[in-house]
Amino acid sequence: DVKVTQSSRYLVKRTGEKVFLECVQDMDHENMFWYRQDPGLGLRLIYFSYDVKMKEKGDIPEGYSVSREKKERFSLILESASTNQTSMYLCASSSPGFRGNQPQHFGDGTRLSIL
Amino acid sequence: AQSVTQLDSHVSVSEGTPVLLRCNYSSSYSPSLFWYVQHPNKGLQLLLKYTSAATLVKGINGFEAEFKKSETSFHLTKPSAHMSDAAEYFCVVMGLGGFKTIFGAGTRLFVKA
C-alpha cells in the first residue's frame, strides 16, 4: 500500500512565524501535491510538483512556497504565518501512469492553527 | 472544461439499508473518475476509480459505482449501510496529465442505528 506520511497531525504556531509542513511518500511517485481543506470551500490546490526541484502553482499559492529536493519529500512553507492560514493541510502523491490519470494517495493531514 | 457536482450535501440512512450518493460530471473528453472517503480528522482514502474500462466499478468496503456516459453520472452505491460508513464522500474528476483534479464539494453520510 502507498504510504504518505505528514510529519505532524496537529500544529500550533504564532502569527509571523515561518512554518514548515513536511510530507514523505514511499512509493517513488513523481507527482506530489499540497491542498488545504476548509469548511464550505472544499479542497483547494496550493502547489504541486511533477519532479524533483520542479513545482507549479495551484489555485491558491499566495503566502506559500514549496520545496522538493528529494523525490520522496515535498515541503510546504508558510513564509510568514497569518491567522487566515489556519486550516487542514493535506499532502498527496501519484504516479503519472498511462494518460497520466492515476489516483492521488493522501496523508492523514496536518491541522494547523495560527494564533 | 471539467466540473463535478455532488447533488446532495447530506444523506441520512438507517443501518442495513442501501446507500446512494449522487455525482454528475462534465468533461469534454472521456474522464477518469474517482470516489474518496474521509473520516473525521483523517485524510482522503480511495474507494474506487473509473478509467475507461468496465463501466461498473467495484471498490473497497462493498461500495461500487456505475459510469453512465449518457447521463454524465457516476453515482456511488452500497447495498447495506454500516455504522462505520458514516463519513464524508468526495467525487473527483481528473484531467489529462493527472494534474488538474476537480473535487466535488462532498456528501456527508449519516448512518442511524
Side-chain angles (χ1 to χ4, degrees), chain A residues 30-94:
Chain A
E30 283 80 0
N31 303 331
M32 295 189 75
F33 307 80
W34 275 107
Y35 296 88
R36 63 178 284 177
Q37 183 178 26
D38 300 287
L41 296 176
L43 273 80
R44 293 179 291 168
L45 181 64
I46 305 171
Y47 269 97
F48 67 93
S49 168
Y50 53 89
D51 203 351
V52 175
K53 297 192 186 295
M54 306 303 288
K55 60 185 179 183
E56 293 287 342
K57 293 180 179 179
D59 299 319
I60 52 162
E62 297 78 19
Y64 303 94
S65 63
V66 291
S67 172
R68 191 155 181 214
E69 297 295 321
K70 294 185 178 181
K71 191 174 185 180
E72 68 271 18
R73 185 179 297 270
F74 192 34
S75 302
L76 179 70
I77 303 156
L78 285 64
E79 297 291 344
S80 177
S82 64
T83 55
N84 63 12
Q85 293 178 308
T86 291
S87 185
M88 173 73 132
Y89 289 87
L90 293 167
C91 175
S93 72
S94 70

Side-chain angles (χ1 to χ4, degrees), chain A residues 3-4 24-29 32 68 71-72 93:
Chain A
K3 184 73 174 175
V4 179
V24 176
Q25 51 95 2
D26 66 356
M27 283 301 292
D28 203 36
H29 283 165
M32 295 189 75
R68 191 155 181 214
K71 191 174 185 180
E72 68 271 18
S93 72

